[in-house]
Amino acid sequence: MGVTLGALVEPLKLGAGERARTRRDRTERCAAYIEAATTARERLVEFNVLHRLRQRSPDDARADPEKYLASTDAFYQARASMRQIFGLLVMSGPEELVERAKQVHKAEMQLHAHRRAVNADDASGGGLPPDVLAAVRAFDEAIEEFARAARKHAK
């Protein structure tokens, strides 16, 4: 009887282990996607600030060309990570996460399109240009929605 019971329970244990591993992998991918998206967002905002500084006064020490290049490199590395993780999400699902990741990507592309935007009177310095600020908010919302979906599928 013991052998028979063991033969019945073992596949259940294996199935539970596989589901746990799948959840863990999904959670790790989602966390990495959120980190990459957040890094991309930060670097695009930094790019815009540095671009506006360089436009206003090219000799300003805060507009260091090395920092400008480092920010650009960090952005493209984060974007590459997002694309790689997106591919893994498409492969493994669920579809809701894939759709949310697409929304994050669209928001990232929108912010990227406005990375060189300047304020109408940029001589004053001011904050982020309205187009950039709106794109940043949309990007933040997309990341938040992705995180909510990820949390739901990580349980």
Side-chain angles (χ1 to χ4, degrees):
M1 183 69 170
V3 174
T4 306
L5 184 58
L8 291 174
V9 173
E10 195 60 33
L12 295 175
K13 286 182 187 177
L14 290 175
E18 182 62 29
R19 285 189 301 277
R21 195 171 19 265
T22 300
R23 274 193 310 276
R24 185 185 66 239
D25 289 349
R26 182 182 299 139
T27 300
E28 289 172 0
R29 285 181 187 140
C30 289
Y33 192 78
I34 291 166
E35 288 172 8
T38 303
T39 298
R41 175 211 179 277
E42 291 168 358
R43 296 296 70 88
L44 284 169
V45 170
E46 181 179 47
F47 183 95
N48 179 263
V49 170
L50 292 171
H51 175 73
R52 290 183 296 121
L53 276 171
R54 287 178 64 176
Q55 293 288 98
R56 256 196 329 271
S57 56
D59 298 330
D60 191 328
R62 296 174 298 168
D64 176 28
E66 292 299 318
K67 191 173 184 181
Y68 193 76
L69 290 174
S71 181
T72 302
D73 286 346
F75 164 71
Y76 284 111
Q77 287 174 358
R79 182 186 254 185
S81 292
M82 287 175 65
R83 286 183 176 159
Q84 179 183 25
I85 296 164
F86 178 76
L88 294 171
L89 288 171
V90 169
M91 183 178 76
S92 64
E95 198 58 34
E96 181 183 9
L97 284 178
V98 173
E99 290 305 314
R100 295 294 181 189
K102 284 180 184 177
Q103 294 304 314
V104 171
H105 178 68
K106 284 180 185 176
E108 177 266 317
M109 293 294 289
Q110 193 65 24
L111 180 55
H112 186 263
H114 293 295
R115 71 189 182 283
R116 295 183 194 274
V118 295
N119 287 322
D121 69 353
D122 208 32
S124 66
L128 292 174
D131 291 343
V132 173
L133 193 55
V136 165
R137 287 183 179 140
F139 200 178
D140 286 343
E141 288 173 15
I143 292 170
E144 188 175 323
E145 290 300 319
F146 177 82
R148 281 192 188 105
R151 182 179 60 215
K152 182 171 76 173
H153 290 287
K155 293 179 181 179

